[in-house]
Amino acid sequence: MKANKTLIVCFSTHHGNTRKVVDALAAEHEEITVVDIRDADQVNPSDYSLIGLASGIYYGHFGKPLISWAETLPAGSPVFTLYTYGAKRDGYVNDINEVLRKRNCRIAGSFGCPGYDTFGPFRLIGGIAKGHPTPTDIRQASSFYEHLKKQERIN
Ligand SMILES: Cc1cc2nc3c(=O)[nH]c(=O)nc-3n(C[C@H](O)[C@H](O)[C@H](O)COP(=O)(O)O)c2cc1C
């Protein structure tokens, strides 16, 4: 296990909202490596001391390819989830958390914020959550990650 390294695997297909949040975190923290889910087979999660799973919410769930990748995580991995959604609702992390529990991964924390959504009928009204993620959303994501770093003793 490599000390003081965070890997964030990202699935962000709608407007790149989730990727925007993740890239902002990576710009502030040099220990973060960001990998698109399509390149996730090129990294070894065992090399990292903390793993982030980042996704937009699609039909109430994290992106399927990210859920499938989570099913291959080594047991005991400390994992956090990060997501963007059009409309706030409980339960967006239920499926991914279930996978993580089955893998005996430790769920270190979770962060969600709005992301511009023009899916389906929302397109007709110009979308919802316009302008998100905002600088405030990104600041909150940053505070969340700072807290995680302390909790996981990453420096
Ligand atoms: C096919 C599809 C399904 C979606 N389903 C939901 C949903 O169930 N709940 C929700 O709040 N947002 C939903 N959204 C909106 C996205 O979660 C939101 O825009 C998110 O920020 C997209 O992230 P991305 O740009 O990183 O892909 C959906 C978007 C798409 C394209």
Side-chain angles (χ1 to χ4, degrees), residues 11-19 56-60 84-87 89 92 115-117 119:
F11 184 83
S12 179
T13 54
H14 188 34
H15 286 292
N17 298 325
T18 314
R19 181 74 195 221
I57 297 299
Y58 315 97
Y59 306 108
T84 66
Y85 51 79
R89 219 170 6 107
Y92 287 146
Y116 181 45
D117 178 7
F119 178 58

